[in-house]
Amino acid sequence: MRIVDHTQLEELAREGTRSLCPDHTRITVGTASCGSATGGREALAAVREEVATAGLAVDLRETGCIGYCQVEPVLEVLRPGEPRVLFHHADAHRARLIVRALAEGRMPTELALCWIPRNGERPEWALPRYDEVPFYSKQLKIVLRNSGVIDPDSLPEYAARGGYHALWRALTEMTPEEVADEVEKAGLRGRGGAGVPTGRKWRLCRDAPGDEKFVVCNADEGDPGAYMDRAVLEGDPHSVLEGMAIGAYSMGSSQGYIYVRDEYPLAIQKLERAIADARTAGLLGRSVFGSAFSFDVHLARGGGAFVCGEETSLLQSIEGKMGEPNQRPPFPAQRGLWGKPTNVNNVETWANVPEIVSRGSAWYAGIGTPSSKGTKVFSLVGKVQNTGLVEVPMGITLREIVFDIGGGILGGKKFKAVQTGGPSGGCIPDRFLDLPVDYEELNRTGSIMGSGGMIVMDEGTCMVDVARYFLDFLREESCGKCVPCREGIERMLEILERICNGEGREEDLPLLEELATTTKDFSLCGLGGTAPNPVLTTLQYFRDEYDAHIREHRCPAAVCKALVHYSIDYALCDDCGACIKLCPSGAIVGEAKRPTEFIDEKCIKCGACLEVCKPAAIRVQ
Amino acid sequence: MAGATVDTILARHGYEEHALIAVLQEIQRERNWLPPEDLATVARMLRVPASRVYGIASFYKAFSLVPRGRHVVQVCTGTACHVRGAPQILDRLGRDLEIQPGHTTNDMRFTLEKVRCLGCCSIAPVVRVGEHIHGRLTQVRAGSMLKKYP
Ligand SMILES: Cc1cc2nc3c(=O)[nH]c(=O)nc-3n(C[C@H](O)[C@H](O)[C@H](O)COP(=O)(O)O)c2cc1C
Ligand code: SF4
Ligand code: FES
């Protein structure tokens, strides 16, 4: 059915409400990529089976990622008149227990994580409320408002949460100019890396001469360790489509592209479905909402090249060419896709737009810091207790993110650094933990906000190895168009490999700094321009680790293979024999299950013994 | 037969030159790699120089110009996986399969590849085999994981 007036949109929303809050039990299982990989699919099948066996009336639905990946698979139960109940570690076995309890008329709160308020109910369960769970305590969800809540394949459920109301409002109550104004006043800045004010960019494209314009969604999500865009696309694809439609209306465009990286097949599947449903409902395509505004969206798949996340290179790739960056200016707003004015925004940027239009710029601008408004989604990963996606207001401190939300470092180890901004960013040491997180403050540390990856590193992470790692990444990803980038990265990598091998020289460090500056200043695009950041920040904050490698041929974190030796602390050994069995090179000799000798020359330093040793009797020094 | 499939794919994209990448992606999905005769067909039908087709096929890492194994084992070497033991997992799989990353076993059962982030960083270290993502791996679990793929 094509929706052409507000009554019909309201009817769609009511249909969604009926499916979100049915008059019998609703069970949702998180089956985003992360949920599926941890057993969500098996849990779903188990629920289906148990429900059939028990003959329960249950609406079983799939949903996206609710952020707390550490406790996945996650399952949610909603019974009429009760709040939502979230279950953690809900693998097939526990999923069965949950359904069986429900069949007995009981809510198995002993398996649950928390309850999520709906209509002010106050249950008597001895269970924390959602915002009492440390992981969720300081979060504010705008971008992730629907992810893990609605069925991403359900347009009505999206509408029930206010979806497409912002587009309706823009088309019927606002001029294109007013929409751009609103986004500008909200203070929204691009979430793809550089933090360019979105309203200003839209205005450039709006004002550029030409009848044909394009809006593009950058879903290339190239920064390793960042996955918020995947979560949005898999869990709430309509929010991106609605944001793009609003932007297209404001900029006078009728065609949009979403460039999705090849590694995200499920995101592509969800987007295809969402686009098809939106077209059928008349929310995309000719004459949106029956108005004079037409807008359609096409998908383009990436080919696994990091540089294609850079906007000029991305546009080349959509045109079917090699993704090499172009000199800017001209900016895409002037000459973009097929030479036409084009506006590129990141997934998270687009997903913010409908909320800004619905709730107003004043509301949005009231969140965050003077220079950075709204929230930011971070992927909190690495050596941290609670891994997952966290959406927090700008201005929260790193300490609150890593320690309050993240629960601190894994295994009681010591915090060393947090890496932000991907290969263009840097490593921030503990002295900055109380820094309020926004674009400017992160820049001050020599790192950048980037797309929001936050990789936590502990005392077992070698910072020289991290610098080497990023250069290795960038060497493979540099398109090779300009010499400073290609050669600079290659040379810096050579030096770092030498240092990691214990063959570093004193004069290597000044040489690294010199190469870093040249690469930074003379590269064409941001890849080369920011490539030295991981090197420069580690040199600045962790020079002692470089020195230990060079002067003492020692890797303090015991990571660099050439510099470490394994041995056994026999006093701690409990004679389980696991290491003898697992060592692939026969370096651990034993009598029965008792290791008696460690042959250093045979050891290939694979770490198999370390992984399997329960009493931690394997020494790496 | 080969030509027919490629033709279907090209037809689906209206023989449009700008669909070149999408066409190659579909061929690769169909065949698991990009055979030279298919690339020649694409160049001929889209009327573009073969050098351009090869340029694209080698620029983008998703494409393979050599046949790949039945199961493509992709070890994530993204930052989150790197700090949580991806190098050890990669080494382990390389030892088990007796191949270097980028290579295929003689029996064509497995191809071992490195990828930069599969977007499941929260459950690092991560390996994808075909369509399946395996997370929270240890060396031991990575080894036994392969047994599931005949
Ligand atoms: C090497 C390189 C890689 C980039 N990768 C991405 C990416 O994966 N996703 C993204 O949204 N932006 C990426 N960017 C930034 C884009 O060029 C562009 O600034 C951004 O998509 C604009 O959207 P925004 O204003 O909403 O942030 C990258 C930039 C560079 C230089
Ligand atoms: S800076 Fe590097 S990636 Fe960017 S255009 Fe130059 S060579 Fe290519
Ligand atoms: S870093 Fe491995 S999945 Fe993201």
Side-chain angles (χ1 to χ4, degrees):
Chain A
M1 183 188 73
R2 287 182 68 85
I3 296 170
V4 296
D5 62 32
H6 199 254
T7 327
Q8 289 167 321
L9 182 60
E10 289 294 309
E11 181 43 47
L12 183 75
R14 272 195 298 277
E15 184 191 332
T17 307
R18 283 195 296 276
S19 107
L20 279 171
C21 314
D23 45 21
H24 45 266
T25 305
R26 172 180 160 111
I27 299 182
T28 44
V29 182
T31 54
S33 296
C34 43
S36 297
T38 48
R41 298 243 142 248
E42 290 76 9
L44 183 74
V47 172
R48 187 171 290 132
E49 217 179 278
E50 289 292 326
V51 162
T53 314
L56 275 180
V58 163
D59 240 10
L60 181 56
R61 290 287 191 144
E62 293 180 47
T63 189
C65 172
I66 197 159
Y68 201 174
C69 303
Q70 181 71 44
V71 302
E72 283 191 297
V74 164
L75 178 157
E76 189 187 293
V77 175
L78 170 64
R79 296 195 298 190
E82 284 182 359
R84 294 154 53 196
V85 181
L86 200 61
F87 292 86
H88 62 104
H89 297 110
D91 55 12
H93 172 66
R94 284 166 64 106
R96 283 180 200 283
L97 298 181
I98 294 165
V99 180
R100 281 177 208 159
L102 291 172
E104 292 164 9
R106 191 174 66 82
M107 181 62 81
T109 49
E110 69 281 4
L111 300 174
L113 175 73
C114 62
W115 58 276
I116 308 176
R118 233 176 12 126
N119 300 322
E121 309 92 336
R122 294 207 148 274
E124 312 222 313
W125 303 318
L127 194 63
R129 205 178 48 214
Y130 172 80
D131 52 357
E132 291 165 349
V133 176
F135 182 80
Y136 288 120
S137 61
K138 300 200 163 166
Q139 298 205 36
L140 173 63
K141 295 199 174 187
I142 297 174
V143 171
L144 299 178
R145 59 194 178 273
N146 293 324
S147 183
V149 179
I150 65 169
D151 175 351
D153 285 342
S154 168
L155 172 62
E157 289 188 11
Y158 177 67
R161 305 269 299 177
Y164 289 107
H165 287 69
L167 179 59
W168 170 266
R169 170 145 194 252
L171 293 185
T172 55
E173 295 171 21
M174 299 165 83
T175 62
E177 178 68 30
E178 282 166 349
V179 174
D181 261 356
E182 203 55 10
V183 172
E184 189 153 20
K185 277 191 288 185
L188 176 65
R189 296 173 65 173
R191 302 297 193 237
V196 182
T198 305
R200 198 164 78 205
K201 237 164 83 169
W202 286 20
R203 207 171 288 282
L204 266 180
C205 183
R206 253 180 69 70
D207 294 344
D211 304 334
E212 204 182 5
K213 293 176 184 175
F214 294 99
V215 294
V216 173
C217 172
N218 186 342
D220 198 46
E221 191 152 75
D223 283 0
Y227 66 104
M228 56 289 295
D229 295 351
R230 168 183 75 68
V232 172
L233 297 174
E234 289 180 356
D236 195 16
H238 284 287
S239 67
V240 177
L241 299 181
E242 187 182 3
M244 290 178 74
I246 293 169
Y249 170 68
S250 176
M251 286 176 266
S253 155
S254 62
Q255 297 292 325
Y257 281 85
I258 306 182
Y259 186 85
V260 193
R261 69 197 292 247
D262 196 47
E263 289 85 348
Y264 288 175
L266 186 61
I268 292 168
Q269 198 184 313
K270 296 292 167 196
L271 276 170
E272 278 171 350
R273 167 75 191 257
I275 291 171
D277 286 356
R279 280 182 189 150
T280 310
L283 304 170
L284 282 182
R286 283 181 70 84
S287 178
V288 173
F289 277 126
S291 73
F293 168 66
S294 297
F295 176 65
D296 207 358
V297 173
H298 312 278
L299 287 182
R301 292 181 72 144
F306 174 73
V307 75
C308 286
E310 193 280 335
E311 57 186 15
T312 61
S313 159
L314 181 147
L315 297 176
Q316 295 280 312
S317 186
I318 294 181
E319 291 179 17
K321 304 187 186 136
M322 280 197 263
E324 284 180 354
N326 284 330
Q327 190 93 43
R328 295 180 308 179
F331 289 95
Q334 301 154 314
R335 274 180 62 88
L337 197 55
W338 289 296
K340 311 285 184 196
T342 302
N343 177 72
V344 183
N345 275 129
N346 164 265
V347 171
E348 191 182 335
T349 314
W350 287 121
N352 268 297
V353 169
E355 286 294 277
I356 291 173
V357 171
S358 289
R359 302 169 78 161
S361 57
W363 162 77
Y364 195 84
I367 304 165
T369 66
S371 73
S372 310
K373 300 301 183 189
T375 57
K376 178 76 193 85
V377 185
F378 291 102
S379 69
L380 187 58
V381 296
K383 308 276 193 78
V384 64
Q385 285 280 355
N386 304 329
T387 57
L389 284 184
V390 304
E391 182 171 3
V392 286
M394 297 273 192
I396 190 171
T397 67
L398 281 171
R399 188 185 302 281
E400 288 173 284
I401 298 178
V402 176
F403 288 89
D404 297 348
I405 297 175
I409 307 301
L410 262 187
K413 292 241 177 82
K414 228 179 107 208
F415 173 92
K416 185 182 277 181
V418 47
Q419 205 279 338
T420 67
S424 311
C427 297
I428 306 173
D430 59 357
R431 86 177 80 138
F432 293 116
L433 273 173
D434 291 308
L435 198 80
V437 175
D438 74 7
Y439 291 96
E440 277 64 34
E441 296 288 339
L442 285 180
N443 285 348
R444 249 193 282 284
T445 67
S447 187
I448 58 166
M449 174 84 76
S451 55
M454 225 179 231
I455 298 98
V456 178
M457 300 176 171
D458 69 0
E459 51 190 319
T461 314
C462 170
M463 302 316 278
V464 186
D465 174 69
V466 167
R468 183 204 57 76
Y469 163 81
F470 278 115
L471 285 176
D472 180 56
F473 177 100
L474 290 164
R475 182 200 37 189
E476 281 176 31
E477 300 298 341
S478 162
C479 78
K481 190 168 172 176
C482 36
V483 180
C485 171
R486 198 178 60 219
E487 292 294 321
I489 290 173
E490 188 83 48
R491 292 291 317 281
M492 287 190 286
L493 178 60
E494 265 171 37
I495 296 175
L496 282 164
E497 281 178 341
R498 211 157 61 212
I499 300 177
C500 288
N501 279 327
E503 293 153 8
R505 300 182 292 250
E506 289 287 339
E507 60 275 22
D508 279 343
L509 300 189
L511 187 57
L512 261 182
E513 273 160 350
E514 194 187 311
L515 281 164
T517 317
T518 318
T519 310
K520 205 173 181 136
D521 293 347
F522 298 102
S523 292
L524 176 67
C525 86
L527 188 149
T530 56
N533 286 353
V535 178
L536 289 173
T537 52
T538 50
L539 265 175
Q540 185 178 355
Y541 301 126
F542 302 97
R543 192 143 192 142
D544 52 329
E545 289 195 37
Y546 282 88
D547 288 341
H549 283 73
I550 294 174
R551 294 187 191 147
E552 303 163 35
H553 304 289
R554 191 171 62 84
C555 175
V559 168
C560 295
K561 264 192 187 178
L563 304 180
V564 301
H565 291 278
Y566 282 66
S567 60
I568 300 174
D569 183 341
Y570 294 99
L572 289 177
C573 173
D574 64 3
D575 300 342
C576 73
C579 59
I580 306 177
K581 210 169 109 211
L582 274 177
C583 175
S585 61
I588 305 178
V589 188
E591 279 162 25
K593 289 182 162 186
R594 162 180 288 263
T596 52
E597 195 190 346
F598 191 93
I599 310 171
D600 196 38
E601 306 81 73
K602 281 198 178 174
C603 171
I604 57 167
K605 301 169 188 177
C606 70
C609 51
L610 193 66
E611 179 183 296
V612 80
C613 183
K614 291 220 175 69
I618 304 290
R619 281 282 135 86
V620 193
Q621 275 162 336
Chain B
M1 170 65 202
T5 318
V6 173
D7 197 49
T8 326
I9 292 171
L10 284 164
R12 202 155 45 225
H13 291 278
Y15 299 93
E16 296 252 20
E17 192 190 321
H18 70 80
L20 179 53
I21 298 174
V23 166
L24 297 186
Q25 276 162 340
E26 286 187 35
I27 297 176
Q28 172 145 316
R29 215 164 314 143
E30 200 77 19
R31 311 210 192 283
N32 215 7
W33 69 297
L34 296 175
E37 57 275 19
D38 287 357
L39 293 180
T41 312
V42 170
R44 197 175 61 241
M45 306 288 276
L46 293 185
R47 296 203 179 81
V48 297
S51 60
R52 173 139 179 255
V53 177
Y54 273 90
I56 297 281
S58 42
F59 179 85
Y60 292 100
K61 283 183 202 61
F63 296 126
S64 176
L65 291 168
V66 290
R68 299 194 297 174
R70 280 198 298 289
H71 308 288
V72 180
V73 180
Q74 297 177 309
V75 180
C76 176
T77 55
T79 322
C81 291
H82 181 77
V83 303
R84 286 189 71 159
Q88 287 80 4
I89 304 281
L90 183 65
D91 285 351
R92 159 80 196 232
L93 292 173
R95 276 200 309 277
D96 282 8
L97 299 175
E98 299 179 333
I99 47 174
Q100 292 290 316
H103 290 83
T104 300
T105 53
N106 286 334
D107 60 2
M108 296 303 284
R109 185 169 157 208
F110 290 113
T111 296
L112 184 62
E113 290 180 353
K114 294 196 282 183
V115 284
R116 303 292 198 181
C117 194
L118 292 165
C120 291
C121 329
S122 51
I123 52 169
V126 175
V127 173
R128 179 161 69 192
V129 187
E131 308 270 277
H132 287 118
I133 294 182
H134 301 263
R136 300 173 184 155
L137 284 174
T138 57
Q139 292 191 40
V140 173
R141 285 194 49 221
S144 50
M145 166 190 85
L146 292 182
K147 299 203 184 82
K148 288 182 225 152
Y149 299 92

